[in-house]
């Protein structure tokens, strides 16, 4: 099956699973306009898995180029498939891939769902494998692109969940840069990263939050302490 045939088969499978009621209901989770065909995420992932079996032995660049063609369709279903394929390639990641990942963030992540899907999987894994790129997140945190700023924090969740060296400190660095960010979805993004860090580093996160809480948005505070003990949570929120 060549690329053109494969794209046609994917589109046919997606159209067969499209649910107009679900499509309309998706919008309530997002402030910005979202574009999708109405296919539920588990079904999208099944389709991604189905066609991965066909392309998995292709050259890596050929797979990623095809994934990027899907991303250009600007529909949620194609993003899910493209991002899942990229994660399937994780054992073949190379340093040079960072340029592509940054372009994907800039050009193809236009809501929090897209950011979180890509960053908690492919980009997060990449940063664990190539920690020399961690400091690039500090530069992203200063971007005018709200989704890139959210990505700086969310991409660190993969590593901090696994207690990977350097990720806790990097979360603190990014959170410091984003501390007074006025975008609520950026606030929730770095709050989520702090919350995930608290699972393995509760005392360190609590100490950091206590020092910065006067300048931290209430939204971020609530996220950051959500999994802490009632005693610690009360001290922070008071």
């Amino acid at each position: 099956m060549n690329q053109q045939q494969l794209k046609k088969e994917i589109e046919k499978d997606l159209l067969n699973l499209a649910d107009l009621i679900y499509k309309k209901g998706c919008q309530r989770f997002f402030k910005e306009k979202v574009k999708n065909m109405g296919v539920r995420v588990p079904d999208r992932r099944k389709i991604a898995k189905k066609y991965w079996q066909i392309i998995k032995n292709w050259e890596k660049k050929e797979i990623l180029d095809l994934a990027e063609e899907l991303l250009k369709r600007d529909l949620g279903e194609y993003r899910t498939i493209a991002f899942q394929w990229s994660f399937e390639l994780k054992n073949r990641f190379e340093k040079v891939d960072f340029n592509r990942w940054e372009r994907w963030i800039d050009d193809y992540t236009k809501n929090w769902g897209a950011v979180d899907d890509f960053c908690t999987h492919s980009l997060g894994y990449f940063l664990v494998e190539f920690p020399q790129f961690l400091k690039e997140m500090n530069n992203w945190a200063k971007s005018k692109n709200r989704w890139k700023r959210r990505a700086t924090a969310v991409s660190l969740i993969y590593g901090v969940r696994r207690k990977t060296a350097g990720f806790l400190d990097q979360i603190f660095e990014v959170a410091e840069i984003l501390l007074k960010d006025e975008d609520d979805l950026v606030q929730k993004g770095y709050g989520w990263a702090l919350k995930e860090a608290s699972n393995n580093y509760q005392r360190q996160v609590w100490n950091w939050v206590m020092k910065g809480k006067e300048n931290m948005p209430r939204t971020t505070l609530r996220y950051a302490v959500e999994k802490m003990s009632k005693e610690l949570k009360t001290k922070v929120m008071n």
Side-chain angles (χ1 to χ4, degrees):
M1 185 182 296
N2 62 37
Q3 287 198 23
Q4 287 303 115
Q5 291 173 321
L6 189 140
K7 285 188 285 188
K8 287 180 180 178
E9 290 298 314
I10 291 174
E11 183 175 22
K12 184 170 71 174
D13 283 358
L14 289 172
L15 287 171
N16 285 337
L17 291 167
D19 181 336
L20 294 181
I21 295 175
Y22 175 75
K23 177 180 178 178
K24 186 178 291 186
C26 284
Q27 186 60 57
R28 71 180 185 272
F29 298 108
F30 302 90
K31 294 180 180 179
E32 57 286 330
K33 180 70 175 177
V34 294
K35 299 177 182 179
N36 66 80
M37 300 166 70
V39 180
R40 298 175 187 276
V41 174
D43 289 328
R44 300 177 192 182
R45 297 204 179 282
K46 287 177 183 177
I47 291 172
K49 187 175 181 179
K50 172 184 174 180
Y51 289 99
W52 173 252
Q53 297 307 311
I54 295 172
I55 68 172
K56 64 182 180 181
N57 293 321
W58 290 9
E59 292 294 323
K60 176 186 153 190
K61 184 180 183 302
E62 190 177 7
I63 295 172
L64 289 177
D65 286 348
L66 174 59
E68 193 153 348
E69 286 188 40
L70 298 187
L71 290 172
K72 290 175 182 176
R73 299 288 297 271
D74 195 25
L75 289 167
E77 287 78 5
Y78 288 105
R79 272 194 299 274
T80 301
I81 293 168
F83 290 163
Q84 185 164 322
W85 285 352
S86 71
F87 191 59
E88 293 283 5
L89 287 166
K90 61 186 180 294
N91 293 329
R92 294 157 69 181
F93 283 177
E94 304 167 87
K95 294 177 185 177
V96 70
D97 294 324
F98 185 78
N99 294 328
R100 186 187 292 263
W101 302 155
E102 184 168 19
R103 187 173 71 252
W104 282 15
I105 292 291
D106 286 335
D107 296 344
Y108 306 120
T109 57
K110 300 177 181 178
N111 58 62
W112 62 262
V115 172
D116 296 357
D117 185 11
F118 182 65
C119 291
T120 59
H121 293 85
S122 295
L123 184 56
Y125 183 93
F126 178 89
L127 292 174
V128 168
E129 291 298 300
F130 303 104
Q132 59 267 45
F133 288 94
L134 279 173
K135 296 304 177 186
E136 287 294 326
M137 297 302 101
N138 293 348
N139 296 326
W140 287 20
K142 300 167 187 174
S143 172
K144 293 181 180 179
N145 180 343
R146 68 191 301 205
W147 306 123
K148 200 168 190 176
R149 299 200 307 277
R150 182 179 172 99
T152 64
V154 176
S155 63
L156 301 172
I157 290 173
Y158 189 96
V160 83
R161 281 175 174 169
R162 291 158 178 77
K163 302 176 75 171
T164 307
F167 274 72
L168 177 63
D169 288 340
Q170 185 59 42
I171 284 177
F172 291 154
E173 286 188 33
V174 164
E176 188 68 41
I177 297 170
L178 299 175
L179 192 64
K180 297 182 181 181
D181 200 296
E182 295 181 357
D183 191 301
D184 68 318
L185 290 172
V186 176
Q187 295 170 6
K188 291 175 182 177
Y190 85 84
W192 180 22
L194 289 167
K195 176 173 68 175
E196 292 298 331
S198 74
N199 285 327
N200 291 319
Y201 308 100
Q202 181 172 269
R203 179 57 66 173
Q204 293 98 312
V205 173
W206 184 81
N207 288 338
W208 190 91
V209 169
M210 286 297 288
K211 291 177 182 177
K213 71 173 187 173
E214 298 303 322
N215 295 310
M216 194 180 298
R218 199 74 174 173
T219 298
T220 306
L221 270 178
R222 287 196 298 269
Y223 269 68
V225 303
E226 185 178 326
K227 294 186 177 182
M228 292 187 184
S229 67
K230 185 176 180 180
E231 178 187 2
L232 294 181
K233 192 184 300 185
T234 300
K235 287 181 180 178
V236 170
M237 298 310 292
N238 286 341

